[in-house]
Amino acid sequence: MLRLREVGTVERRTVGAAALAVGAVGLGCMPMSWGYASSRQDGEESLRAVHSALDHGTTLLDTADMYGPFTNELLLGRVLKERRRDAFVATKCGLLAGEQHTVANGRPAYVRRACDASLRRLQTDTIDLYQLHRIDPEVPVEETWGAMAELVAAGKVRALGLCAVGARGHRRTGAALHDETLRQLVRAQQVFPVSSVQAELSVWAAEALEELLPWCTAHGVGFLAAMPLGNGFLTGTLTPGEGFEPDDLRARHPRFTADMMASNQPIVVGLRRVGRRHGATPAQVALAWALAQSPAVVPIPGTKSARWAAENAAAAGLALTAEDLAEIASLPPARGSWD
């Protein structure tokens, strides 16, 4: 196993034009409060996971007001009350959670209220990175982004980011995955600098490498790699056919049927094979792969476990060779539709 790094020794990367320094591997906090099996949510264990991440050099904590909703920010607030200097706080607004669906809200008045509410729940005076969770089709992005820029001027927010993790469900027929995101980014950039883009990037979902990551690199924009462990599949810890609880987002995901999980096992086998050469786990190899794609990339694997948070942080110390990367590139493509 890779040796876990001591506090302060982890690689640092910068996010966007604001040159905000963060640990090379972040922590996605969503699984602690939303999206996965609610029966396995444990507030105290989640608190230990956040502390473990900070202890091992992870600084970027990625959350959102809709996770819970609201409970994830409240949980992080308990940690930030004690360790605000250790953390880089990234949260989001613009997406409201309903019973069976989510609704985008980009109205400026809502954005201002949402920011103030997040500050209270997080028990902090400033949000390091405030991200627009989804673009509201009823509100020009210039209006939403302008309201968010006002929050920077007011000292409530340090930098702004935009999420593209919902791109699959909103692309036009025949369009490339991130075409619409790129159009919106160009428009937002004319109002106020975009410091980061958050989008899915992993060994089994690499579409962002085609246009979105190159755009970020060319414009000095940080790239937060969401779901870098493939919603847990790339860790090699999931058993095909074991099933998921009804409220787990993977229960409805086309790549998490028993047949598709079995069909995609060669990807995990390949990651495990590379990992054995380095004393690393498949998850650490998957994170090191994301880090190797560009210095702009900061993967934000989600977990609610202190053990996995520490293991993920250690992946920053894994340097894959050219041969390793070529072997990963030669793995069979993932099977199963995403749409």
Side-chain angles (χ1 to χ4, degrees):
M1 296 287 290
L2 284 174
R3 183 175 61 85
L4 300 181
R5 288 174 175 244
E6 298 298 327
V7 177
T9 65
V10 74
E11 178 194 346
R12 307 280 282 183
R13 294 195 168 191
T14 56
V15 176
L20 304 174
V22 299
V25 176
L27 174 65
C29 299
M30 184 187 79
M32 302 174 187
S33 309
W34 190 83
Y36 292 84
S38 58
S39 69
R40 300 182 185 178
Q41 291 172 5
D42 182 330
E44 292 305 314
E45 174 60 14
S46 293
L47 288 172
R48 287 191 290 272
V50 179
H51 281 292
S52 177
L54 295 174
D55 289 343
H56 290 94
T58 291
T59 59
L60 193 156
L61 308 178
D62 183 74
T63 183
D65 56 5
M66 75 159 288
Y67 297 160
F70 313 129
T71 54
N72 197 248
E73 288 185 332
L74 288 168
L75 184 147
L76 288 186
R78 295 171 61 185
V79 177
L80 296 175
K81 187 176 181 180
E82 304 173 12
R83 304 187 64 174
R84 182 62 182 91
R85 292 184 179 182
D86 297 333
F88 179 96
V89 182
T91 192
K92 313 177 192 72
C93 70
L95 194 60
L96 308 179
E99 287 294 328
Q100 299 293 331
H101 62 284
T102 55
V103 178
N105 187 340
R107 296 181 179 84
Y110 160 76
V111 168
R112 299 184 191 103
R113 291 195 305 271
C115 179
D116 288 341
S118 287
L119 287 168
R120 288 193 298 271
R121 288 188 291 267
L122 292 165
Q123 300 194 54
T124 186
D125 295 326
T126 308
I127 294 167
D128 295 308
L129 179 65
Y130 203 38
Q131 302 165 90
L132 180 58
H133 212 157
R134 295 289 187 278
I135 292 173
D136 187 340
E138 304 298 324
V139 181
V141 70
E142 291 85 355
E143 293 185 18
T144 306
W145 206 251
M148 295 175 72
E150 291 173 4
L151 299 172
V152 179
K156 297 180 179 181
V157 171
R158 295 177 66 198
L160 302 181
L162 188 147
C163 289
V165 291
R168 295 187 188 279
H170 294 88
R171 61 175 158 172
R172 301 170 184 172
T173 302
L177 179 60
H178 293 298
D179 281 357
E180 182 60 24
T181 297
L182 289 168
R183 281 192 288 269
Q184 299 290 355
L185 280 168
V186 170
R187 292 170 60 182
Q189 192 81 307
Q190 293 172 349
V191 176
F192 189 86
V194 178
S195 284
S196 70
V197 172
Q198 183 174 156
E200 185 173 11
L201 177 63
S202 72
V203 170
W204 80 343
E207 295 95 334
L209 299 180
E210 297 170 6
E211 292 185 282
L212 188 57
L213 181 55
W215 186 94
C216 290
T217 301
H219 292 83
V221 173
F223 188 97
L224 305 188
M227 294 168 276
L229 299 180
N231 298 109
F233 181 81
L234 301 177
T235 66
T237 61
L238 300 180
T239 303
E242 187 175 37
F244 301 94
E245 295 183 23
D247 61 344
D248 191 312
L249 59 85
R250 293 169 295 187
R252 301 177 298 280
H253 197 303
R255 282 198 182 166
F256 283 93
T257 65
D259 287 346
M260 285 300 100
M261 288 180 69
S263 296
N264 287 319
Q265 284 302 306
I267 299 173
V268 176
V269 171
L271 295 177
R272 185 173 285 115
R273 184 169 57 244
V274 172
R276 279 198 295 267
R277 296 200 289 267
H278 297 275
T281 66
Q284 290 172 327
V285 174
L287 293 174
W289 174 91
L291 288 166
Q293 303 311 304
S294 166
V297 171
V298 177
I300 46 174
T303 186
K304 50 184 177 289
S305 160
R307 173 189 174 187
W308 302 137
E311 179 182 297
N312 292 342
L318 173 57
L320 297 177
T321 66
E323 291 75 17
D324 293 331
L325 293 171
E327 183 171 342
I328 294 170
S330 70
L331 293 175
R335 295 185 58 196
S337 170
W338 287 92
D339 300 319

